[in-house]
């Protein structure tokens, strides 16, 4: 679950750690404008992300999906659509992408952007086919497959039925067997992430009736039972767009750790990082045994930014994430993708967006 104006300027990225090292990529031979089927995934692709680098002049915020290698090189455009892309994920075979897309301009301002209602799509990179899994009349967001690639877990608000809360669902990749995992009128469940062994789903949970509402991290069995608290973190910091708490959990390859982001500072009179505040990437044990989270942003010395959507590389040696940085002088600011070691050190900036452009979003 992310922002309208940390403007998904925060999640204008989706970096998804894919594979380990592979041979080099190719440049797409297609022009940047117009819709059409997706390109295949280049063999050297190790990260997926979304960017407005090729957005049409009349719709400058609209984002498409791109791939790159682990160093930020060999960038290739994957989708050629008329949609706006949010978070995304890839299955273990690297054939299918699950993407959250806005197709219709549902909310101001004019043009497709982070504020618009979205639905879940599957992109088949082998056949060049795409299909929607959820109705355009509802509001859905998700980025994770089951380990066998057969299921997608996601959050959805059934606006078409008058519902106002986000619950968790799962659905087969072909659109069959939609199953509701939660049904909580006073709560919010979002940011679902399937463990690599398939036994648990991590997610962000807010109890609307709590004395001090905040998002905590829970896990559940794939059928919605056996709910367990993984990490609370205390009252936390609220921003203009989000309640306090923990967001966007992602599992380490061995399923022993969960990384996530959390707001740590928000100056209401003049919010940091273009209105986003300061968000840190943190890490906890997935079994719920962590008393105090490991703050990777602080440990690595990059604690002044809004850092979002962390995800591990396939070998567990790097964490990729997006960052919004408002710098002084202003021309040193950026909305880009970075990576770091699992302890927060070894920070590397992978993308360098042009002015008024953004790269973002990991799984």
């Amino acid at each position: 679950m992310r922002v309208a104006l940390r403007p998904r300027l925060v999640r204008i990225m989706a970096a998804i750690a894919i594979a380990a090292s592979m041979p080099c990529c190719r440049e797409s031979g297609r022009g940047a404008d117009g819709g059409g089927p997706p390109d295949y995934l280049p063999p050297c692709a190790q990260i997926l992300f979304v960017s407005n680098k090729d957005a049409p002049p009349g719709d400058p915020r609209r984002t498409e999906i791109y791939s790159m290698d682990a160093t930020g090189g060999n960038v290739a455009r994957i989708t050629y659509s008329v949609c706006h892309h949010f978070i995304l994920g890839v299955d273990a075979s690297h054939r299918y992408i699950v993407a959250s897309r806005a197709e219709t301009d549902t909310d101001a301002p004019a043009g497709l952007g982070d504020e618009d209602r979205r639905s879940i799509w599957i992109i088949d990179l082998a056949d060049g086919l795409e299909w929607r899994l959820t109705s355009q009349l509802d509001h859905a967001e998700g980025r994770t497959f089951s380990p066998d690639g057969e299921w997608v877990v996601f959050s959805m608000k059934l606006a078409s039925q008058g519902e106002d809360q986000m619950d968790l669902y799962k659905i087969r990749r072909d659109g069959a067997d939609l199953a509701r995992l939660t049904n909580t009128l006073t709560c919010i469940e979002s940011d679902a992430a399937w463990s690599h062994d398939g036994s648990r789903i991590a997610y962000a949970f807010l109890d609307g009736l709590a004395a001090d509402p905040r998002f905590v991290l829970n896990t559940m069995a794939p059928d919605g039972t056996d709910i367990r608290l993984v990490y609370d973190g205390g009252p936390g910091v609220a921003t203009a767009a989000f309640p306090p708490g923990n967001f966007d959990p992602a599992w380490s390859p061995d399923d022993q750790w969960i990384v996530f982001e959390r707001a740590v500072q928000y100056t209401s009179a003049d919010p940091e990082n273009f209105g986003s505040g300061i968000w840190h990437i943190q890490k906890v044990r997935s079994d719920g045994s962590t008393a105090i989270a490991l703050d990777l942003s602080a440990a690595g010395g990059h604690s002044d930014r809004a850092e979002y959507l962390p995800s591990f590389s396939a070998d567990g040696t790097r964490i990729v994430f997006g960052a919004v940085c408002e710098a002084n002088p202003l021309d040193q600011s950026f909305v880009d993708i970075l990576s770091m070691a699992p302890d927060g050190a070894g920070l590397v900036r992978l993308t360098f967006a042009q002015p008024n452009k953004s790269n973002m979003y990991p799984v």
Side-chain angles (χ1 to χ4, degrees), residues 1-2 6 11 15-17 87-89 141-145 153-155 168 188-196 200-206 215-220 228-232 245-253 255-262 279-287 296 307-312 319-321 361-363:
M1 166 182 180
R2 204 73 302 140
R6 77 153 74 163
R11 279 167 99 153
I16 298 162
I87 61 172
L88 63 155
E141 187 172 76
R143 60 170 179 156
T144 183
F145 287 94
V153 64
F154 61 98
S155 56
L168 297 185
I188 299 174
E189 290 95 356
S190 66
D191 301 352
W194 220 307
S195 64
H196 297 284
R200 306 295 292 173
I201 294 172
Y203 63 99
F205 170 77
L206 182 143
F215 276 95
V216 302
L217 296 182
N218 284 349
T219 65
M220 63 166 66
R228 306 174 193 171
L229 174 67
V230 171
Y231 185 68
D232 184 334
N246 314 312
F247 297 87
D248 294 319
W251 299 80
S252 61
D255 290 331
Q256 297 300 302
W257 295 92
I258 292 177
V259 289
F260 61 95
E261 79 262 10
R262 178 181 178 90
W279 292 69
H280 284 184
I281 306 294
Q282 303 192 4
K283 182 171 77 169
V284 295
R285 287 285 185 183
S286 61
D287 63 2
L296 304 183
E307 299 183 341
Y308 308 108
L309 265 119
S311 78
F312 280 90
I319 294 172
V320 65
F321 60 96
Y361 291 178
V363 185

Side-chain angles (χ1 to χ4, degrees), residues 149-197:
E150 288 298 314
W151 294 87
V152 173
V153 64
F154 61 98
S155 56
M156 180 166 62
K157 177 170 63 176
L158 294 178
S160 61
Q161 299 181 24
E163 290 189 359
D164 195 37
Q165 87 277 2
M166 296 289 280
D167 281 301
L168 297 185
Y169 295 78
K170 65 179 181 179
I171 191 171
R172 288 193 181 275
R173 189 184 65 236
D174 63 4
D177 299 331
L178 176 67
R180 187 168 191 157
L181 301 179
T182 65
N183 191 358
T184 49
L185 294 177
T186 61
C187 303
I188 299 174
E189 290 95 356
S190 66
D191 301 352
W194 220 307
S195 64
H196 297 284
D197 68 4

Side-chain angles (χ1 to χ4, degrees), residues 4-355:
L5 216 101
R6 77 153 74 163
R8 250 176 191 162
L9 189 72
V10 339
R11 279 167 99 153
I12 292 181
M13 147 196 173
I16 298 162
I18 297 181
S21 57
M22 293 174 164
C24 252
C25 308
R26 57 80 181 108
E27 289 290 333
S28 171
R30 192 169 354 176
D33 297 328
D39 271 347
Y40 66 88
L41 192 66
C44 69
Q46 294 176 278
I47 294 172
L48 296 179
F49 63 102
V50 305
S51 176
N52 66 341
K53 66 194 295 289
D54 295 316
D59 212 355
R61 296 179 298 137
R62 190 163 64 77
T63 56
E64 297 282 3
I65 300 173
Y66 298 78
S67 69
M68 63 181 171
D69 64 30
T71 68
N74 290 299
V75 174
R77 183 171 172 179
I78 305 301
T79 57
Y80 294 79
S81 74
V82 292
C83 301
H84 178 65
H85 293 79
F86 300 86
I87 61 172
L88 63 155
V90 67
D91 79 316
S93 74
H94 306 158
R95 172 174 176 172
Y96 299 101
I97 290 174
V98 57
S100 305
R101 282 176 162 177
E103 305 162 67
T104 305
D105 186 7
T106 59
D107 296 276
L112 289 176
D114 296 340
E115 71 284 350
D116 294 312
R117 188 172 58 242
R118 65 212 66 153
S119 50
I120 305 294
W121 281 73
I122 296 293
I123 300 169
D124 184 339
L125 295 168
D127 294 340
L129 301 175
E130 304 173 302
W131 58 93
R132 190 191 308 108
L133 296 182
T134 63
S135 170
Q136 288 180 275
L137 300 178
D138 297 317
H139 180 79
E141 187 172 76
R143 60 170 179 156
T144 183
F145 287 94
S146 58
D148 62 7
E150 288 298 314
W151 294 87
V152 173
V153 64
F154 61 98
S155 56
M156 180 166 62
K157 177 170 63 176
L158 294 178
S160 61
Q161 299 181 24
E163 290 189 359
D164 195 37
Q165 87 277 2
M166 296 289 280
D167 281 301
L168 297 185
Y169 295 78
K170 65 179 181 179
I171 191 171
R172 288 193 181 275
R173 189 184 65 236
D174 63 4
D177 299 331
L178 176 67
R180 187 168 191 157
L181 301 179
T182 65
N183 191 358
T184 49
L185 294 177
T186 61
C187 303
I188 299 174
E189 290 95 356
S190 66
D191 301 352
W194 220 307
S195 64
H196 297 284
D197 68 4
S199 66
R200 306 295 292 173
I201 294 172
Y203 63 99
F205 170 77
L206 182 143
D207 181 354
L209 297 181
D212 193 0
R214 56 187 179 264
F215 276 95
V216 302
L217 296 182
N218 284 349
T219 65
M220 63 166 66
D223 63 358
T225 63
D226 190 23
I227 294 172
R228 306 174 193 171
L229 174 67
V230 171
Y231 185 68
D232 184 334
V237 173
T239 71
F242 293 96
N246 314 312
F247 297 87
D248 294 319
W251 299 80
S252 61
D254 61 6
D255 290 331
Q256 297 300 302
W257 295 92
I258 292 177
V259 289
F260 61 95
E261 79 262 10
R262 178 181 178 90
V264 298
Q265 183 173 315
Y266 184 80
T267 305
S268 56
D270 185 17
E272 301 83 355
N273 298 309
F274 303 108
S276 298
I278 297 175
W279 292 69
H280 284 184
I281 306 294
Q282 303 192 4
K283 182 171 77 169
V284 295
R285 287 285 185 183
S286 61
D287 63 2
S289 62
T290 302
I292 300 175
L294 300 175
D295 190 327
L296 304 183
S297 302
H302 41 99
S303 58
D304 58 341
R305 303 154 183 189
E307 299 183 341
Y308 308 108
L309 265 119
S311 78
F312 280 90
S313 61
D315 62 6
T317 62
R318 302 294 292 175
I319 294 172
V320 65
F321 60 96
V324 178
C325 176
E326 183 179 7
N328 186 10
L330 197 60
D331 62 5
Q332 299 300 309
S333 303
F334 60 84
V335 184
D336 272 306
I337 300 168
L338 301 92
S339 73
M340 62 182 169
D343 62 358
L347 187 70
V348 176
R349 184 172 167 186
L350 302 179
T351 64
F352 294 83
Q354 296 299 310

